[in-house]
Amino acid sequence: MLRRTITAADLASPGQLSELLDRRAYLADEGLATAAFLALRMGRPLFLEGEAGVGKTELARTLADVLDAPLIRLQCYEGLEGSQALYDWDFARQLLHLKAAEAGGGADAARLEGEVHDRRFLIARPLLQAVETQPSVLLVDEVDRADVEFEAILLEVLSDFAISVPELGTIRARTPPVVVLTSNRTREVHDALKRRCLYHWLEHPSFEREVEILLRRLPECSRTLAEQVAGAAGRLRGAGLVKPPGVAETLDWTEALLTLGARELDPGLAAATLGALLKHREDHEAVRGNGLLGAPRG
Protein backbone atom coordinates (compact mmCIF):
# COMPACT_ATOMS: atom_id res chain seq x y z
CA MET A 1 0.00 0.00 0.00
CA LEU A 2 1.31 3.42 -0.95
CA ARG A 3 1.89 5.83 1.91
CA ARG A 4 -0.33 8.91 1.68
CA THR A 5 1.69 12.09 1.51
CA ILE A 6 1.24 14.25 4.60
CA THR A 7 0.98 18.01 4.20
CA ALA A 8 1.18 20.77 6.80
CA ALA A 9 -2.61 21.15 6.57
CA ASP A 10 -3.04 17.52 7.65
CA LEU A 11 -1.33 18.11 10.99
CA ALA A 12 -3.87 18.63 13.75
CA SER A 13 -1.63 19.26 16.75
CA PRO A 14 1.97 19.42 17.99
CA GLY A 15 1.39 16.02 19.54
CA GLN A 16 0.60 14.49 16.16
CA LEU A 17 3.77 15.98 14.67
CA SER A 18 5.77 14.73 17.66
CA GLU A 19 4.41 11.22 17.05
CA LEU A 20 5.36 11.37 13.36
CA LEU A 21 8.86 12.52 14.26
CA ASP A 22 9.08 9.80 16.90
CA ARG A 23 8.28 7.12 14.31
CA ARG A 24 11.40 8.27 12.48
CA ALA A 25 13.53 8.09 15.65
CA TYR A 26 13.58 11.86 16.23
CA LEU A 27 12.49 12.55 19.81
CA ALA A 28 11.30 16.15 20.04
CA ASP A 29 10.29 17.69 23.34
CA GLU A 30 7.03 19.61 23.65
CA GLY A 31 8.60 23.00 22.97
CA LEU A 32 10.33 21.95 19.76
CA ALA A 33 7.31 20.01 18.49
CA THR A 34 5.10 23.04 19.10
CA ALA A 35 7.50 25.42 17.34
CA ALA A 36 7.80 23.11 14.33
CA PHE A 37 4.03 22.57 14.18
CA LEU A 38 3.32 26.30 14.22
CA ALA A 39 5.96 26.95 11.55
CA LEU A 40 4.33 24.36 9.29
CA ARG A 41 0.75 25.48 9.85
CA MET A 42 1.51 29.22 9.70
CA GLY A 43 3.84 28.94 6.73
CA ARG A 44 6.67 30.66 8.57
CA PRO A 45 10.39 29.80 8.53
CA LEU A 46 11.65 28.09 11.68
CA PHE A 47 14.86 29.55 13.11
CA LEU A 48 16.71 27.09 15.35
CA GLU A 49 19.63 28.14 17.53
CA GLY A 50 21.69 26.00 19.85
CA GLU A 51 25.01 24.31 20.38
CA ALA A 52 26.38 22.19 17.56
CA GLY A 53 25.11 18.62 17.59
CA VAL A 54 21.81 19.13 19.41
CA GLY A 55 19.65 18.05 16.45
CA LYS A 56 18.87 21.22 14.47
CA THR A 57 19.89 19.88 11.07
CA GLU A 58 18.43 16.47 11.83
CA LEU A 59 15.02 18.03 12.48
CA ALA A 60 14.98 19.46 8.93
CA ARG A 61 15.93 16.05 7.52
CA THR A 62 13.20 14.34 9.52
CA LEU A 63 10.56 16.92 8.55
CA ALA A 64 11.43 16.26 4.90
CA ASP A 65 10.82 12.57 5.54
CA VAL A 66 7.53 13.24 7.34
CA LEU A 67 6.29 15.41 4.46
CA ASP A 68 7.76 13.08 1.79
CA ALA A 69 9.50 16.13 0.29
CA PRO A 70 13.05 16.59 -1.01
CA LEU A 71 15.47 18.26 1.38
CA ILE A 72 17.29 21.14 -0.32
CA ARG A 73 20.29 22.24 1.73
CA LEU A 74 22.13 25.54 1.57
CA GLN A 75 25.31 25.19 3.63
CA CYS A 76 26.40 28.67 4.67
CA TYR A 77 30.02 29.76 4.99
CA GLU A 78 32.06 32.94 5.06
CA GLY A 79 32.14 34.58 1.63
CA LEU A 80 28.95 32.89 0.37
CA GLU A 81 27.61 34.94 -2.54
CA GLY A 82 24.23 35.28 -4.19
CA SER A 83 25.28 33.40 -7.33
CA GLN A 84 26.15 30.39 -5.16
CA ALA A 85 22.83 30.48 -3.30
CA LEU A 86 20.32 31.78 -5.88
CA TYR A 87 21.25 30.97 -9.49
CA ASP A 88 23.97 31.29 -12.08
CA TRP A 89 24.10 31.20 -15.86
CA ASP A 90 25.65 28.19 -17.58
CA PHE A 91 28.14 30.17 -19.64
CA ALA A 92 29.64 27.08 -21.29
CA ARG A 93 26.28 25.95 -22.68
CA GLN A 94 25.40 29.50 -23.72
CA LEU A 95 28.65 29.76 -25.67
CA LEU A 96 28.06 26.42 -27.38
CA HIS A 97 24.59 27.58 -28.39
CA LEU A 98 25.98 30.79 -29.87
CA LYS A 99 28.65 28.92 -31.82
CA ALA A 100 26.07 26.46 -33.15
CA ALA A 101 23.82 29.30 -34.24
CA GLU A 102 26.71 31.08 -35.97
CA ALA A 103 27.71 27.90 -37.76
CA GLY A 104 24.17 27.59 -39.08
CA GLY A 105 24.34 31.10 -40.53
CA GLY A 106 21.74 33.85 -40.60
CA ALA A 107 21.57 34.22 -36.82
CA ASP A 108 19.56 37.21 -35.66
CA ALA A 109 21.35 39.04 -32.83
CA ALA A 110 18.19 39.99 -30.93
CA ARG A 111 16.77 36.47 -31.20
CA LEU A 112 20.05 34.94 -30.07
CA GLU A 113 20.21 37.19 -27.03
CA GLY A 114 16.79 35.97 -26.01
CA GLU A 115 17.69 32.35 -26.62
CA VAL A 116 20.86 32.36 -24.53
CA HIS A 117 18.89 33.74 -21.59
CA ASP A 118 16.34 30.95 -21.76
CA ARG A 119 15.48 29.09 -18.54
CA ARG A 120 17.31 25.98 -19.79
CA PHE A 121 20.62 27.82 -19.47
CA LEU A 122 19.95 28.86 -15.86
CA ILE A 123 21.61 26.82 -13.11
CA ALA A 124 19.35 26.69 -10.07
CA ARG A 125 21.22 26.97 -6.78
CA PRO A 126 19.54 25.91 -3.50
CA LEU A 127 17.27 28.95 -3.02
CA LEU A 128 15.92 28.82 -6.57
CA GLN A 129 15.63 25.03 -6.37
CA ALA A 130 13.43 25.40 -3.29
CA VAL A 131 11.24 28.04 -4.95
CA GLU A 132 10.74 25.84 -8.03
CA THR A 133 10.26 22.52 -6.21
CA GLN A 134 6.86 21.71 -4.71
CA PRO A 135 6.79 20.47 -2.07
CA SER A 136 10.24 20.93 -0.60
CA VAL A 137 12.05 21.53 2.67
CA LEU A 138 14.75 24.20 2.50
CA LEU A 139 17.51 23.92 5.10
CA VAL A 140 19.64 27.06 5.46
CA ASP A 141 22.33 25.52 7.61
CA GLU A 142 24.62 27.51 9.91
CA VAL A 143 23.43 30.90 8.69
CA ASP A 144 25.62 32.52 11.34
CA ARG A 145 28.70 31.48 9.34
CA ALA A 146 27.67 33.57 6.33
CA ASP A 147 28.52 37.26 6.09
CA VAL A 148 26.00 39.76 7.42
CA GLU A 149 25.43 41.05 3.87
CA PHE A 150 24.10 37.64 2.83
CA GLU A 151 21.19 38.02 5.22
CA ALA A 152 19.72 40.69 2.91
CA ILE A 153 19.39 38.06 0.16
CA LEU A 154 17.62 35.69 2.54
CA LEU A 155 15.27 38.45 3.69
CA GLU A 156 14.05 39.05 0.15
CA VAL A 157 13.57 35.38 -0.62
CA LEU A 158 11.88 34.52 2.68
CA SER A 159 9.52 37.50 2.47
CA ASP A 160 7.91 36.57 -0.86
CA PHE A 161 9.38 33.20 -1.79
CA ALA A 162 10.21 34.77 -5.12
CA ILE A 163 13.50 35.31 -6.97
CA SER A 164 14.03 38.00 -9.58
CA VAL A 165 16.12 37.08 -12.61
CA PRO A 166 16.60 40.28 -14.67
CA GLU A 167 16.75 38.41 -17.98
CA LEU A 168 13.68 36.23 -17.25
CA GLY A 169 11.52 38.05 -14.72
CA THR A 170 10.33 36.93 -11.31
CA ILE A 171 10.11 33.24 -10.44
CA ARG A 172 7.60 32.62 -7.65
CA ALA A 173 6.88 29.55 -5.60
CA ARG A 174 3.41 28.12 -6.25
CA THR A 175 3.65 26.46 -2.84
CA PRO A 176 6.20 28.02 -0.48
CA PRO A 177 8.81 25.58 0.81
CA VAL A 178 9.08 24.61 4.44
CA VAL A 179 12.12 26.54 5.65
CA VAL A 180 14.42 25.67 8.56
CA LEU A 181 17.33 27.97 9.40
CA THR A 182 19.98 26.88 11.88
CA SER A 183 22.60 28.81 13.83
CA ASN A 184 25.32 27.72 16.25
CA ARG A 185 25.47 31.35 17.40
CA THR A 186 29.05 32.00 16.36
CA ARG A 187 27.74 35.51 15.74
CA GLU A 188 24.43 37.23 16.35
CA VAL A 189 22.02 37.04 13.41
CA HIS A 190 20.26 40.31 12.57
CA ASP A 191 16.85 40.87 14.13
CA ALA A 192 15.29 41.60 10.73
CA LEU A 193 15.86 37.99 9.69
CA LYS A 194 14.68 36.56 12.98
CA ARG A 195 11.46 38.62 12.82
CA ARG A 196 10.42 36.71 9.69
CA CYS A 197 10.79 33.40 11.52
CA LEU A 198 9.45 31.49 14.46
CA TYR A 199 12.31 31.00 16.92
CA HIS A 200 13.33 28.09 19.11
CA TRP A 201 16.45 27.47 21.17
CA LEU A 202 17.51 23.81 21.31
CA GLU A 203 19.05 22.70 24.59
CA HIS A 204 21.09 19.58 25.07
CA PRO A 205 18.64 16.79 25.92
CA SER A 206 17.93 15.68 29.45
CA PHE A 207 19.60 12.48 30.64
CA GLU A 208 16.40 10.48 30.16
CA ARG A 209 15.76 11.81 26.66
CA GLU A 210 19.35 11.20 25.58
CA VAL A 211 19.14 7.60 26.78
CA GLU A 212 15.99 7.13 24.72
CA ILE A 213 17.64 8.71 21.66
CA LEU A 214 20.58 6.32 21.93
CA LEU A 215 18.31 3.30 22.30
CA ARG A 216 16.10 4.36 19.39
CA ARG A 217 18.90 5.21 17.00
CA LEU A 218 21.14 2.31 18.00
CA PRO A 219 18.84 -0.62 18.86
CA GLU A 220 21.78 -2.94 19.55
CA CYS A 221 22.87 -0.70 22.43
CA SER A 222 22.12 -1.99 25.94
CA ARG A 223 20.31 0.29 28.35
CA THR A 224 23.27 0.08 30.71
CA LEU A 225 25.66 1.40 28.06
CA ALA A 226 23.19 4.07 26.95
CA GLU A 227 22.81 5.32 30.52
CA GLN A 228 26.56 5.36 31.12
CA VAL A 229 27.26 7.20 27.85
CA ALA A 230 24.50 9.76 28.50
CA GLY A 231 25.77 10.27 32.05
CA ALA A 232 29.34 10.80 30.86
CA ALA A 233 28.20 13.19 28.13
CA GLY A 234 26.23 15.20 30.68
CA ARG A 235 29.23 15.51 32.96
CA LEU A 236 31.44 16.62 30.06
CA ARG A 237 28.95 19.33 29.09
CA GLY A 238 29.42 20.87 32.50
CA ALA A 239 33.21 20.59 32.50
CA GLY A 240 33.99 23.81 30.64
CA LEU A 241 35.34 22.14 27.51
CA VAL A 242 36.22 23.98 24.31
CA LYS A 243 33.57 21.99 22.45
CA PRO A 244 31.16 20.05 24.66
CA PRO A 245 29.72 16.96 22.96
CA GLY A 246 26.28 17.14 21.36
CA VAL A 247 23.87 14.30 20.66
CA ALA A 248 25.58 13.70 17.33
CA GLU A 249 28.86 13.04 19.15
CA THR A 250 27.29 10.76 21.76
CA LEU A 251 25.74 8.72 18.95
CA ASP A 252 29.13 8.47 17.24
CA TRP A 253 30.80 7.52 20.50
CA THR A 254 28.23 4.86 21.31
CA GLU A 255 28.52 3.40 17.80
CA ALA A 256 32.31 3.27 18.19
CA LEU A 257 31.96 1.48 21.53
CA LEU A 258 29.46 -1.00 20.04
CA THR A 259 31.80 -1.64 17.12
CA LEU A 260 34.41 -2.72 19.66
CA GLY A 261 31.91 -5.01 21.38
CA ALA A 262 31.25 -2.90 24.48
CA ARG A 263 28.21 -3.66 26.65
CA GLU A 264 29.25 -1.29 29.41
CA LEU A 265 31.39 1.86 29.53
CA ASP A 266 34.81 0.52 30.45
CA PRO A 267 37.16 3.44 31.32
CA GLY A 268 39.97 2.08 29.19
CA LEU A 269 37.72 1.59 26.16
CA ALA A 270 36.16 5.01 26.75
CA ALA A 271 39.57 6.67 26.66
CA ALA A 272 40.57 4.75 23.53
CA THR A 273 37.45 5.91 21.65
CA LEU A 274 37.54 9.49 22.89
CA GLY A 275 38.16 10.80 19.37
CA ALA A 276 34.58 9.93 18.45
CA LEU A 277 33.29 12.19 21.22
CA LEU A 278 35.71 15.11 21.58
CA LYS A 279 37.36 16.90 18.65
CA HIS A 280 39.83 19.23 20.39
CA ARG A 281 43.20 18.24 21.83
CA GLU A 282 42.68 20.52 24.81
CA ASP A 283 39.45 18.70 25.65
CA HIS A 284 41.17 15.31 25.46
CA GLU A 285 43.83 16.48 27.88
CA ALA A 286 41.22 18.00 30.20
CA VAL A 287 39.18 14.82 30.64
CA ARG A 288 41.86 12.14 30.77
CA GLY A 289 42.41 10.89 34.30
CA ASN A 290 39.75 13.04 35.96
CA GLY A 291 36.99 10.41 36.27
CA LEU A 292 34.51 12.14 33.99
CA LEU A 293 34.31 9.27 31.52
CA GLY A 294 34.19 6.08 33.49
CA ALA A 295 31.95 6.73 36.47
CA PRO A 296 28.64 5.02 35.72
CA ARG A 297 25.36 6.73 36.57
CA GLY A 298 23.31 5.37 39.38
Side-chain angles (χ1 to χ4, degrees):
M1 180 181 295
L2 294 176
R3 184 181 71 176
R4 187 176 73 85
T5 299
I6 296 172
T7 67
D10 295 324
L11 297 171
S13 67
Q16 182 189 8
L17 176 59
S18 180
E19 180 181 343
L20 291 169
L21 294 171
D22 184 271
R23 291 177 190 172
R24 292 156 177 85
Y26 189 97
L27 278 63
D29 61 23
E30 183 179 3
L32 179 58
T34 301
F37 170 79
L38 291 174
L40 291 171
R41 290 299 301 270
M42 296 168 64
R44 299 281 295 279
L46 177 61
F47 191 101
L48 300 176
E49 273 193 326
E51 300 291 337
V54 294
K56 303 184 294 297
T57 299
E58 191 62 28
L59 176 65
R61 292 196 184 100
T62 311
L63 285 175
D65 189 27
V66 167
L67 300 172
D68 194 21
L71 176 69
I72 299 172
R73 179 173 180 171
L74 173 60
Q75 179 61 54
C76 297
Y77 53 87
E78 186 177 353
L80 178 63
E81 298 179 352
S83 62
Q84 298 161 315
L86 292 165
Y87 64 87
D88 203 358
W89 288 104
D90 191 337
F91 297 116
R93 289 189 64 204
Q94 287 175 318
L95 183 59
L96 286 173
H97 181 76
L98 288 173
K99 287 183 176 180
E102 290 173 357
D108 178 77
R111 179 176 61 81
L112 275 179
E113 183 178 355
E115 288 179 353
V116 297
H117 289 120
D118 186 79
R119 175 63 186 85
R120 62 193 167 119
F121 295 116
L122 194 68
I123 301 172
R125 303 303 186 193
L127 294 181
L128 180 56
Q129 289 175 21
V131 166
E132 291 187 320
T133 305
Q134 286 84 35
S136 66
V137 175
L138 171 63
L139 169 62
V140 183
D141 213 8
E142 298 184 325
V143 66
D144 54 317
R145 296 189 180 278
D147 299 324
V148 175
E149 293 77 12
F150 182 73
E151 293 181 28
I153 295 174
L154 285 177
L155 283 172
E156 182 178 1
V157 175
L158 297 182
S159 294
D160 303 317
F161 293 106
I163 294 175
S164 297
V165 182
E167 298 86 352
L168 293 177
T170 301
I171 301 174
R172 298 184 182 278
R174 294 193 304 274
T175 302
V178 173
V179 181
V180 177
L181 301 96
T182 74
S183 168
N184 296 335
R185 211 171 187 179
T186 59
R187 70 168 176 85
E188 196 66 40
V189 175
H190 199 279
D191 286 343
L193 182 58
K194 287 186 175 181
R195 280 199 300 270
R196 283 162 173 77
C197 308
L198 298 183
Y199 176 87
H200 187 77
W201 173 267
L202 263 71
E203 299 280 359
H204 288 290
S206 66
F207 169 77
E208 291 77 11
R209 184 173 295 276
E210 188 155 22
V211 169
E212 292 307 312
I213 291 171
L214 292 172
L215 294 175
R216 290 292 301 280
R217 299 298 290 269
L218 299 169
E220 66 275 27
C221 180
S222 67
R223 178 167 288 275
T224 297
L225 180 60
E227 290 178 348
Q228 291 173 342
V229 166
R235 292 191 295 274
L236 292 175
R237 288 169 191 148
L241 301 180
V242 174
K243 171 59 178 69
V247 178
E249 284 75 30
T250 57
L251 284 166
D252 285 346
W253 192 33
T254 305
E255 186 175 0
L257 291 166
L258 291 171
T259 300
L260 295 175
R263 298 292 296 173
E264 295 185 355
L265 188 58
D266 173 80
L269 205 55
T273 55
L274 199 55
L277 183 69
L278 302 176
K279 308 303 170 68
H280 287 267
R281 177 184 177 184
E282 297 88 343
D283 291 343
H284 280 239
E285 294 175 347
V287 303
R288 289 185 188 279
N290 63 7
L292 288 173
L293 289 177
R297 184 182 178 94

